Amino acid sequence: MKKKTSALSVVALSAVLLSACSTGQGTASNNGGNNANAGGTTTIEFWAAPNPTQQAYWTEMAKAYEAVNDKVKINVSAMKESPTSEAGIQAAIAAKSAPTMSENINRGFAAQLADSQALVPLDTIAGFSDVVSSRDMSKTIEPWKFADGHQYVLPIYSNAMLFGWRLDTLKELGYDAPPKTYSEVLEVTKKLKAKYGDKKYLWAKPDLADPTAWKRWFDFYMLYDAASNGNKFIEGSSFTGDQKAGEQVLTFVDNLRKEKGLLARQATDPFETGVGIFTDVGPWTFTTWAQKYPNLKYNDTYTLSMPPVPDGVDPAQSKTFADTKGLVVYASATKAQQEAAIGFIKWVYSDAVNDAKWFKDTNLPPARDDLSTNEAFKPILDASPQLKPYAENVPNAIPPMDNAKYNDLQTIIGSEAFNKVVKGEIAPAEGWAAMKAALEKALK
């Protein structure tokens, strides 16, 4: 899953709600093909992510389940992307042709669907608690609980976002491992600038000055989750941000700017070329690096770490942002279909071998507490050791907010505070206050 895919998830969707949609799933009269057949077989429609690998995985799982349960028929198809997958889902709901269930749902979009009562609270369906326990994901799923106390999304994968460090440059500066606290990072920045001047920067990334909503997931939220011990920032319609942690994050960024450690203008692959030595890295990155930058070798020229934390905070307790999506069940499904859907998912996740196949096929870490310890995943992690820190930190990753206006809200974080601090246009405390005021107004 590339970041451009995440970007699609925040496109405004209201325009499609009134549009007609021919989905091939049936009409309002047959509930999108969700009816139980006369012979006692329950048919469910499963919309997979518009990704060939994921569609192939779910098709294989569906056929395997049907082989052991002849009372359930599962039709797997790729969700429509016109103009986005979210828009396709909204249009299908409006046309009363929604599937029984789908994957590829982030928590913010789920909040939109839950607000319109389009989703079933999964915790109200018999067997859901068994899915959580059999998959060993109680810690991972806990932050997904919505403000109303319900779970609307079962996370399928969780990319616990990490920061990459150019280990080769750190060694030139006299370090064998990445710094873990703000003061240590600032010390590295000073040494870097003293040695290389304007040839190298700590953090070189044009997104730092860009207010686009999804970009805050990969800078502000990573740092904020670490500084605040995973505070949710916004819960439902309430701003719950930790002022001390937030101001510490903005002050840290401001101090990097003062030390000339930030490069927020356009640059081609600055981390890969060594212009920057610190950046967010998701597990999807490694395939591209292997093809385009074979010199980047784990624990040789680069390494990975959890986000740095403020001085006085235990680095071992660092949290981070979860680039993650999951599965939902739609309210238009009958009770029989809802229970059949949960039965299918329970079967898939009752055997870690199925999650191992997912991990191997997609490179997306399953949302499990035991990903780094379960023997089923050992061959994958041994073959790709750069995936181990992602596996270890799945339980420490915090998903996006559960608010339907997440796109607008995250834009405010950048435009009122983060971007302005990066540019030196506002003091950290003033930026936090302005952002908080704008968010609270938007949340009313």
Side-chain angles (χ1 to χ4, degrees):
M1 181 69 70
K2 298 184 184 297
K3 288 182 193 172
K4 64 182 180 183
T5 305
S6 296
L8 291 176
S9 67
V10 295
V11 175
L13 301 173
S14 59
V16 302
L17 287 173
L18 300 178
S19 66
C21 178
S22 175
T23 66
Q25 300 297 322
T27 64
S29 63
N30 66 18
N31 194 30
N34 277 339
N35 290 327
N37 294 335
T41 299
T42 301
T43 300
I44 60 178
E45 301 290 337
F46 185 109
W47 283 8
N51 178 306
T53 304
Q54 288 170 247
Q55 186 180 356
Y57 172 84
W58 287 113
T59 298
E60 183 175 337
M61 290 295 106
K63 289 180 178 178
Y65 184 64
E66 290 172 350
V68 297
N69 189 333
D70 60 4
K71 296 299 183 181
V72 176
K73 170 66 176 174
I74 306 169
N75 297 323
V76 177
S77 59
M79 59 179 57
K80 308 300 182 287
E81 290 186 281
S82 179
T84 67
S85 58
E86 288 84 1
I89 290 170
Q90 291 276 30
I93 291 170
K96 301 186 184 303
S97 57
T100 310
M101 59 198 301
S102 75
E103 62 162 340
N104 204 41
I105 305 297
N106 72 42
R107 196 163 173 262
F109 181 53
Q112 293 184 26
L113 299 178
D115 281 357
S116 61
Q117 299 184 328
L119 299 181
V120 180
L122 297 177
D123 52 288
T124 66
I125 305 177
F128 178 69
S129 61
D130 296 332
V131 176
V132 175
S133 60
S134 65
R135 200 189 187 200
D136 195 352
M137 60 184 304
S138 58
K139 291 181 181 178
T140 300
I141 199 174
E142 178 60 28
W144 283 74
K145 185 178 292 184
F146 279 57
D148 65 2
H150 288 300
Q151 292 283 11
Y152 292 94
V153 191
L154 177 78
I156 292 178
Y157 69 86
S158 182
N159 291 313
M161 291 300 299
L162 303 177
F163 278 109
W165 288 89
R166 286 299 299 250
L167 188 58
D168 48 1
T169 304
L170 286 177
K171 289 180 177 179
E172 291 175 4
L173 299 175
Y175 299 91
D176 292 325
K180 296 181 178 180
T181 65
Y182 288 176
S183 62
E184 291 173 352
V185 175
L186 287 170
E187 180 184 82
V188 168
T189 303
K190 291 176 182 179
K191 290 184 178 180
L192 179 74
K193 300 305 292 184
K195 183 176 180 65
Y196 293 103
D198 291 339
K199 293 181 180 180
K200 288 185 182 291
Y201 297 82
L202 181 88
W203 202 353
K205 188 179 181 185
D207 289 0
L208 297 172
D210 187 335
T212 303
W214 65 267
K215 296 183 178 184
R216 298 293 74 79
W217 288 332
F218 305 104
D219 47 40
F220 173 80
Y221 268 108
M222 291 179 67
L223 294 172
Y224 178 78
D225 286 335
S228 66
N229 193 35
N231 172 270
K232 290 185 178 180
F233 192 71
I234 289 175
E235 292 189 66
S237 59
S238 300
F239 176 75
T240 58
D242 182 326
Q243 180 177 346
K244 179 181 178 181
E247 290 185 358
Q248 285 176 319
V249 168
L250 295 176
T251 299
F252 171 60
V253 173
D254 194 43
N255 286 336
L256 291 177
R257 177 193 63 82
K258 290 176 180 177
E259 296 296 336
K260 296 180 171 52
L262 302 179
L263 179 66
R265 63 176 184 267
Q266 287 295 329
T268 302
D269 298 343
F271 181 81
E272 290 82 351
T273 59
V275 173
I277 69 166
F278 168 83
T279 196
D280 58 287
V281 176
W284 58 79
T285 309
F286 304 123
T287 300
T288 301
W289 283 0
Q291 297 171 351
K292 193 175 179 181
Y293 295 99
N295 62 302
L296 289 176
K297 300 185 183 300
Y298 182 56
N299 282 339
D300 180 14
T301 50
Y302 81 92
T303 193
L304 301 164
S305 77
M306 285 286 278
V309 296
D311 292 35
V313 175
D314 182 2
Q317 301 301 313
S318 183
K319 299 290 190 292
T320 190
F321 170 74
D323 176 72
T324 178
K325 289 187 177 181
L327 178 147
V328 299
V329 174
Y330 293 90
S332 55
T334 67
K335 290 291 184 183
Q337 291 152 1
Q338 293 174 20
E339 292 180 3
I342 292 299
F344 169 53
I345 294 304
K346 179 181 176 181
W347 177 84
V348 171
Y349 292 138
S350 64
D351 190 343
V353 170
N354 293 332
D355 256 336
K357 175 176 173 54
W358 165 275
F359 197 8
K360 184 177 180 180
D361 290 354
T362 68
N363 221 31
L364 296 171
R368 302 177 61 111
D369 299 346
D370 65 349
L371 189 56
S372 64
T373 58
N374 191 306
E375 286 296 315
F377 307 105
K378 189 175 186 300
I380 300 171
L381 298 176
D382 285 348
S384 302
Q386 70 272 22
L387 296 178
K388 288 183 179 181
Y390 293 95
E392 292 167 353
N393 287 294
V394 167
N396 297 320
I398 310 300
M401 68 178 73
D402 63 330
N403 188 286
K405 297 190 291 185
Y406 66 103
N407 185 35
D408 295 336
L409 298 172
Q410 288 179 197
T411 300
I412 289 172
I413 297 172
S415 62
E416 295 294 332
F418 192 82
N419 302 147
K420 286 186 175 181
V421 169
V422 167
K423 297 175 183 178
E425 297 175 352
I426 198 169
E430 294 173 359
W432 176 267
M435 177 197 69
K436 178 183 177 182
L439 289 172
E440 290 180 334
K441 181 179 179 180
L443 285 165
K444 288 182 179 179

